[in-house]
Amino acid sequence: KNEVEQSPQNLTAQEGEFITINCSYSVGISALHWLQQHPGGGIVSLFMLSSGKKKHGRLIATINIQEKHSSLHITASHPRDSAVYICAVTEGETSGSRLTFGEGTQLTVNP
Amino acid sequence: DAGITQSPRHKVTETGTPVTLRCHQTENHRYMYWYRQDPGHGLRLIHYSYGVKDTDKGEVSDGYSVSRSKTEDFLLTLESATSSQTSVYFCAIGGRRTEAFFGQGTRLTVV
């Protein structure tokens, strides 16, 4: 079992829909990251969370430390949101700041 | 954007040849990481560095070596490239108390 599990693996939505991607982890963490990767592209950080909730434009990320669960929400989805979304965690204090990754969620938003 | 660049961006090499990938950062981060990204496996840690001349192995380190002679540069070397090392390689910094920043990636093909 992977230390970081994402669901769903693939998600297809119509433009305008509200989207949720989930991430569960099994280790103690100091931070959780949501990353975005467009096809053939680099990896961009969307959020870093250690508690609570953050919002950037149409993107919202939440984390529940007790339940070891995080969600990424996209409101009013748009075709340009089509990408792979990756959840990653920074484990406890002894592991530096290296990341452990989920396998990613492929999101396709159709016009 | 964080200053982290990788070179080369693309490389095709023959089996058995040595290959060196370079990661350069201008953020003065102590920790630097090399990951590889493969379909079905997501991103996996190859090696990391926690300071000049201080490096350690990740989960997929066999066949790879690294060096860090300056804070800003972290080199990944494939001593004798094999087809199983065909992959996309990402360098990264940050992740504990800061967002994680990734280089643009290097697409390596071993023929």
Side-chain angles (χ1 to χ4, degrees):
Chain A
K1 184 174 166 36
N2 292 336
E3 294 175 341
V4 181
E5 297 274 356
Q6 285 184 239
S7 63
Q9 286 188 306
N10 294 282
L11 181 56
T12 299
Q14 289 300 121
E15 183 172 358
E17 287 184 0
F18 180 86
I19 289 163
T20 296
I21 300 170
N22 295 299
C23 176
S24 297
Y25 54 92
S26 57
V27 295
I29 68 169
S30 58
L32 183 140
H33 302 256
W34 282 102
L35 310 167
Q36 181 192 57
Q37 186 175 29
H38 281 101
I43 300 169
V44 175
S45 174
L46 298 175
F47 295 101
M48 184 186 76
L49 294 161
S50 56
S51 64
K53 177 180 175 178
K54 287 189 176 180
K55 183 176 188 291
H56 291 158
R58 294 181 295 106
L59 302 179
I60 303 166
T62 64
I63 188 168
N64 184 318
I65 297 294
Q66 287 72 31
E67 295 186 4
K68 296 187 173 178
H69 181 270
S70 176
S71 294
L72 176 68
H73 305 287
I74 305 175
T75 62
S77 59
H78 190 276
R80 64 175 175 266
D81 297 325
S82 298
V84 175
Y85 292 84
I86 303 168
C87 174
V89 300
T90 310
E91 296 186 34
E93 295 295 330
T94 60
S95 67
S97 56
R98 60 180 156 174
L99 298 174
T100 301
F101 300 86
E103 290 199 21
T105 295
Q106 174 69 64
L107 172 64
T108 303
V109 182
N110 294 318
Chain B
D1 285 349
I4 177 167
T5 56
Q6 292 182 228
S7 59
R9 295 290 312 280
H10 302 271
K11 186 167 182 68
V12 179
T13 192
E14 293 186 349
T15 299
T17 60
V19 177
T20 295
L21 309 182
R22 180 177 183 249
C23 177
H24 179 80
Q25 59 135 339
T26 57
E27 306 298 314
N28 201 34
H29 267 277
R30 179 183 172 196
Y31 285 88
M32 297 183 75
Y33 301 85
W34 277 108
Y35 299 98
R36 60 178 288 175
Q37 186 178 40
D38 303 289
H41 291 280
L43 285 144
R44 293 177 293 174
L45 179 66
I46 305 171
H47 280 280
Y48 68 101
S49 170
Y50 48 97
V52 173
K53 296 191 184 344
D54 292 323
T55 64
D56 206 348
K57 296 179 180 180
E59 59 182 304
V60 290
S61 59
D62 286 350
Y64 302 94
S65 62
V66 289
S67 65
R68 192 165 178 203
S69 59
K70 298 186 288 186
T71 298
E72 56 266 36
D73 290 326
F74 191 31
L75 303 181
L76 177 70
T77 298
L78 291 66
E79 300 291 348
S80 177
T82 67
S83 58
S84 65
Q85 293 175 313
T86 293
S87 186
V88 181
Y89 292 85
F90 287 96
C91 178
I93 59 175
R96 175 170 299 285
R97 296 180 182 83
T98 65
E99 291 184 50
F101 297 102
F102 292 80
Q104 318 96 303
T106 297
R107 186 172 296 275
L108 176 68
T109 303
V110 183
V111 298

